[in-house]
């Protein structure tokens, strides 16, 4: 897990020393730089270097991220992980509904992070467990785990700059008047609740781009209703954003008991994170990953 960077003429003109290049060209945070320096993980032409030193064109800078990290704060639990993609730097998993991403008091040993800890142990990777993106407990779909702090920082930066793209599929109640459009409504924490969100003018700007893919009737004789399969792209990443937005416009997600109604058709909110795209922090190539539609949502369409 080593990042190699060959010094170019433009770097010689822009940066006065190694530290400046690491911080401003490779976008390594001060906190991580301090850790790398303490661990003697930065080399120039294969020799440990002082980052206050200058460099020459064609010098080779190597940053070693393989240093040991204590990850014993997360319990190791064996799980059947649906791994969509893996390389030396990151791991992408298709998370099923009904599992938390982070350990907590209620999910001390059965979160997705616990399963990733077991997997890291099995491949001898002594790194902290770093989920990059979040999904609600009952939302299924793609979750990225960074294998080192640098990848987590780089992808978080892309999220902040709206370069990390996320698309979801959801099933909402009713038929939307506009088949394509955007929902631009600010979202805030609901007063008196630590979980629920609401539309409020004092909230954070939030934008959801949507497109209706299919309109259909539910296949249950006991609960016949009009439903719509909708594709959503998030331009912001607020907590419960899709759920809050569609509930507010009168089309709550099917099965969403927090912002809508329970349903005999599905035991959770019908929401699936099916696509993510980003620029790989190491290869600099754009990556796009998708994952299959979960059975409980697919069955509603047949």
């Amino acid at each position: 897990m080593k990042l190699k960077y060959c010094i170019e003429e433009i770097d010689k003109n822009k940066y006065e020393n190694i530290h400046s290049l690491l911080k401003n060209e490779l976008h390594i945070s001060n906190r991580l730089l301090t850790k790398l320096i303490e661990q003697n993980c930065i080399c120039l032409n294969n020799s440990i270097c002082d980052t206050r030193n200058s460099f020459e064109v064609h010098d080779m800078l190597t940053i070693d991220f393989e240093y040991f990290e204590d990850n014993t704060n997360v319990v190791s639990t064996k799980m059947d992980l649906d791994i969509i993609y893996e390389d030396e730097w990151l791991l992408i998993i298709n998370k099923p509904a009904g599992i938390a991403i982070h350990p907590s008091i209620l999910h001390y040993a059965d979160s997705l992070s616990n399963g990733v800890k077991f997997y890291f142990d099995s491949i001898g990777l002594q790194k902290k467990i770093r989920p990059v993106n979040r999904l609600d407990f009952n939302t299924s779909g793609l979750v990225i785990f960074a294998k080192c702090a640098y990848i987590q920082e780089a992808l978080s930066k892309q999220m902040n700059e709206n370069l990390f793209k996320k698309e979801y599929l959801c099933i909402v109640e009713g038929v939307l008047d506009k088949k394509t459009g955007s929902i631009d409504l600010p979202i805030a924490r609901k007063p008196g609740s630590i979980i629920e969100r609401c539309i409020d003018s004092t909230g954070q700007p939030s934008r959801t781009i949507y497109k209706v893919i299919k309109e259909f009737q539910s296949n249950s004789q006991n609960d016949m209703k009009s439903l719509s399969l909708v594709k959503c792209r998030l331009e912001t990443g607020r907590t419960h954003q899709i759920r809050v937005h569609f509930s507010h416009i009168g089309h709550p997600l099917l099965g969403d008991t927090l912002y809508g109604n329970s349903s005999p058709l599905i035991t959770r909110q019908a929401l699936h994170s099916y696509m993510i795209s980003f620029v790989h922090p190491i290869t600099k190539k754009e990556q796009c990953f998708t994952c299959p539609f979960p059975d409980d949502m697919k069955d509603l369409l047949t």
Side-chain angles (χ1 to χ4, degrees):
M1 200 181 298
K2 296 179 180 179
L3 172 60
K4 294 182 179 294
Y5 184 85
C6 184
I7 306 297
E8 300 180 357
E9 185 71 40
I10 190 172
D11 299 316
K12 184 70 174 174
N13 296 330
K14 286 172 64 177
Y15 306 116
E16 62 179 356
N17 56 28
I18 297 168
H19 190 280
S20 179
L21 186 149
L22 291 169
K23 183 176 179 182
N24 298 294
E25 186 67 28
L26 298 182
H27 306 292
I28 300 177
S29 68
N30 287 329
R31 181 178 180 180
L32 180 53
L33 265 177
T34 299
K35 171 75 73 174
L36 292 167
I37 292 168
E38 290 175 347
Q39 299 280 343
N40 293 322
C41 292
I42 303 172
C43 293
L44 190 68
N45 300 324
N46 297 320
S47 297
I48 296 171
C49 62
D50 187 329
T51 60
R52 294 169 294 185
N53 292 343
S54 60
F55 48 77
E56 299 298 330
V57 177
H58 303 310
D59 280 351
M60 180 62 72
L61 189 63
T62 303
I63 305 99
D64 186 355
F65 294 101
E66 295 178 1
Y67 57 87
F68 171 87
E69 290 183 321
D70 182 10
N71 59 12
T72 55
N73 63 314
V74 177
V75 174
S76 179
T77 304
K78 186 176 182 180
M79 292 182 185
D80 292 326
L81 301 178
D82 184 4
I83 297 176
I84 299 297
Y85 174 81
E86 182 180 14
D87 63 20
E88 185 180 8
W89 300 94
L90 53 87
L91 177 71
I92 303 178
I93 294 173
N94 180 16
K95 182 186 91 69
I99 183 171
I101 291 178
H102 300 88
S104 64
I105 294 175
L106 295 178
H107 302 286
Y108 181 71
D110 62 358
S111 74
L112 193 60
S113 291
N114 298 112
V116 171
K117 169 61 162 60
F118 182 92
Y119 179 69
F120 279 7
D121 289 348
S122 72
I123 62 175
L125 185 62
Q126 292 296 317
K127 287 292 180 181
K128 291 182 179 179
I129 312 303
R130 293 183 168 94
V132 174
N133 59 314
R134 305 188 311 266
L135 292 179
D136 296 336
F137 179 83
N138 277 324
T139 298
S140 56
L142 296 169
V143 180
I144 300 181
F145 286 83
K147 290 185 175 180
C148 69
Y150 178 69
I151 298 299
Q152 184 182 42
E153 288 186 354
L155 293 180
S156 295
K157 184 174 186 292
Q158 289 186 38
M159 286 182 181
N160 292 335
E161 296 175 351
N162 202 26
L163 300 174
F164 188 109
K165 305 298 183 183
K166 296 175 283 187
E167 290 190 0
Y168 294 74
L169 290 169
C170 62
I171 297 174
V172 304
E173 296 182 5
V175 175
L176 281 71
D177 293 332
K178 294 178 62 178
K179 307 309 176 187
T180 62
S182 64
I183 306 173
D184 290 275
L185 295 168
I187 294 176
R189 190 186 299 274
K190 186 175 182 179
S193 176
I194 61 172
I195 298 175
E196 197 170 352
R197 267 54 177 179
C198 64
I199 301 300
D200 191 285
S201 59
T202 64
Q204 294 178 301
S206 308
R207 189 165 194 247
T208 303
I209 311 297
Y210 73 87
K211 178 181 180 180
V212 175
I213 303 300
K214 180 180 181 179
E215 296 171 346
F216 60 102
Q217 295 292 120
S218 64
N219 55 14
S220 171
Q221 296 297 321
N222 298 323
D223 190 34
M224 291 294 294
K225 63 173 59 177
S226 296
L227 301 171
S228 299
L229 174 65
V230 182
K231 180 171 71 174
C232 301
R233 175 166 56 85
L234 298 185
E235 292 203 347
T236 54
R238 312 303 178 202
T239 299
H240 299 173
Q241 179 173 318
I242 293 173
R243 300 166 66 187
V244 173
H245 273 171
F246 279 95
S247 177
H248 187 80
I249 65 172
H251 296 282
L253 270 61
L254 185 69
D256 191 345
T257 56
L258 187 60
Y259 298 104
N261 311 294
S262 62
S263 171
L265 302 174
I266 192 169
T267 59
R268 58 155 179 135
Q269 68 265 9
L271 181 61
H272 179 63
S273 172
Y274 85 98
M275 189 281 288
I276 53 176
S277 67
F278 54 91
V279 176
H280 197 293
I282 306 302
T283 67
K284 304 304 179 185
K285 294 180 180 179
E286 185 168 354
Q287 306 282 293
C288 182
F289 299 94
T290 60
C291 65
F293 218 31
D295 290 342
D296 60 351
M297 292 177 65
K298 183 168 61 178
D299 289 346
L300 296 172
L301 302 173
T302 57

